[in-house]
Amino acid sequence: MSKDRENIPRANMLMGSMRSMSYSFESAVADIIDNSISANCKNVILYFPLRSYDTLAVGILDDGKGMSSDELFEAMRYGSDSEEERQETDLGRFGLGMKSASMSQCRILTVISKQANEVHAFRWDYNYILEKKAWILQELNKDEVASIPYVKNLLESSQDGTLVVWQDFDVLEKSSDGQIFDTLTELQNKTSDYLSLIYHRFLDDKSIKIKINNHALKPRDPFLEKNKKTTQKKEVSISNRDSSNIERQIKVKAFVLPFATDMTAEDMKNAGGAENFRSLQGFYIYRNKRLIIWGTWFGMRLGELTKNEILNSDCDVRKNAAGNPKFKEVFNR
């Protein structure tokens, strides 16, 4: 008979490998915000250093329900089993998002959470993992918590919430010749544009507010629904069964965008800018109002009739055509 033997992965090797997962900076930030939305937050604030001599750290603060010590400890686990019970509004998938997204950008991830005026904090420090060669999660004491960048904004708030802090940007240091502050400043603008697009439905209905430092993000609607020259087709609902054999509805809606001459400068920016207007045409796929795929044709052959089209989907469909009615948007809810 075979014999069971536990074979635990080497912490320093596996964590190092997982840090190489292909996240862009802005998509890693979005993974953290997905968790905030799942925690029923109403506000998310991103903190970037304002001056070159400030502590080089990025913070993501929400006013969600917060976590107890046990809940936070489990949330920090790689492959957390807290991900097993999925809610309809949840945007996460594998219990890896916050950890793998964060550690792809930095070597030190600290998460502080406040619930019912109790504050708890844990830290993954890749430098410490390399030293100890073990899965050691550090639980911070009160004095250590007080020294964390941006933590006063959580501690002084009357709301529950969670603060995620990234430090030690070794990836940015290598790619920017050590100019981390300048690179973070550039990424701040890029992240602003990115979040304004993928969360535009949350921002538009004001169910979520997102700020970067003191700048409130505005929704970047790729379908230009407020432009009077945009044509919106009737929404169609398609039944489909998911992997659990539960019947779901895929809602599909087509938008025909106005000609460029009928667009304002803001309209053109929302549509991707003059340089990206065509490349961003295609299907736009949403899950729970969150844009997850955009500007794709899924291998469809394109001809003259579709070269000006864009599709949108919440698993919705969008048309971004200069008057072309064949342009669709598909999204899955």
Side-chain angles (χ1 to χ4, degrees), residues 281-307:
Q281 296 174 10
F283 288 90
Y284 279 62
I285 314 297
Y286 293 77
R287 181 177 183 229
N288 292 329
K289 300 194 301 184
R290 199 268 211 208
L291 182 58
I292 57 174
I293 299 173
W294 60 96
T296 180
W297 290 100
F298 296 115
M300 295 170 57
R301 292 185 61 187
L302 305 182
E304 288 299 309
L305 291 178
T306 57
K307 70 179 182 180

Side-chain angles (χ1 to χ4, degrees), residues 113-125:
S113 197
K114 183 171 71 171
Q115 187 181 75
N117 289 321
E118 293 288 331
V119 178
H120 309 282
F122 290 93
R123 171 178 290 160
W124 281 119
D125 184 339

Side-chain angles (χ1 to χ4, degrees), residues 81-95:
D81 60 13
S82 64
E83 299 289 317
E84 290 180 358
E85 294 294 328
R86 311 305 309 176
Q87 297 185 17
E88 291 292 321
T89 57
D90 210 339
L91 296 175
R93 290 175 293 175
F94 307 121

Side-chain angles (χ1 to χ4, degrees), residues 8 27 33 49 72 93 102 107 113 142 148 162-163 181 194 218 241 283 306:
I8 299 174
S27 66
I33 296 178
L72 179 55
R93 290 175 293 175
S102 298
R107 294 172 78 94
S113 197
K142 187 175 180 180
I148 297 169
T162 298
L163 173 66
F181 173 77
Y194 182 86
K218 296 181 179 179
R241 292 191 176 274
F283 288 90
T306 57

Side-chain angles (χ1 to χ4, degrees), residues 318-333:
R318 127 182 163 181
K319 268 184 191 176
N320 176 19
N324 190 329
K326 294 186 70 176
F327 182 65
K328 300 179 178 178
E329 164 196 12
V330 179
F331 57 104
N332 190 353
R333 291 181 178 171

Side-chain angles (χ1 to χ4, degrees), residues 50-198:
L50 296 174
R51 298 166 292 269
S52 59
Y53 54 83
D54 288 343
T55 301
L56 295 176
V58 170
I60 304 164
L61 173 65
D62 69 51
D63 60 355
K65 60 186 179 182
M67 289 175 276
S68 66
S69 178
D70 288 345
E71 289 172 330
L72 179 55
F73 182 85
E74 184 61 29
M76 295 292 280
R77 185 195 303 273
Y78 278 73
S80 168
D81 60 13
S82 64
E83 299 289 317
E84 290 180 358
E85 294 294 328
R86 311 305 309 176
Q87 297 185 17
E88 291 292 321
T89 57
D90 210 339
L91 296 175
R93 290 175 293 175
F94 307 121
L96 295 173
M98 177 184 69
K99 285 79 67 176
S100 56
S102 298
M103 299 301 283
S104 72
Q105 305 301 315
C106 66
R107 294 172 78 94
I108 302 175
L109 163 65
T110 308
V111 182
I112 313 96
S113 197
K114 183 171 71 171
Q115 187 181 75
N117 289 321
E118 293 288 331
V119 178
H120 309 282
F122 290 93
R123 171 178 290 160
W124 281 119
D125 184 339
Y126 183 53
N127 304 301
Y128 197 60
I129 298 294
L130 290 173
E131 176 187 340
K132 297 296 184 179
K133 295 181 171 55
W135 293 102
I136 297 178
L137 180 65
Q138 298 171 291
E139 183 173 10
L140 306 187
N141 62 36
K142 187 175 180 180
D143 290 338
E144 290 170 324
V145 168
S147 68
I148 297 169
Y150 315 120
V151 75
K152 286 182 63 176
N153 298 291
L154 173 64
L155 300 181
E156 295 177 358
S157 170
S158 61
Q159 304 287 326
D160 290 341
T162 298
L163 173 66
V164 176
V165 178
W166 296 350
Q167 293 174 276
D168 195 350
F169 297 96
D170 59 330
V171 176
L172 294 185
E173 186 173 18
K174 291 177 183 177
S175 63
S176 66
D177 294 326
Q179 303 300 311
I180 299 176
F181 173 77
D182 292 340
T183 302
L184 285 175
T185 301
E186 294 174 5
L187 287 170
Q188 177 179 334
N189 297 327
K190 189 174 182 179
T191 301
S192 175
D193 289 341
Y194 182 86
L195 300 180
S196 296
L197 174 63
I198 67 171

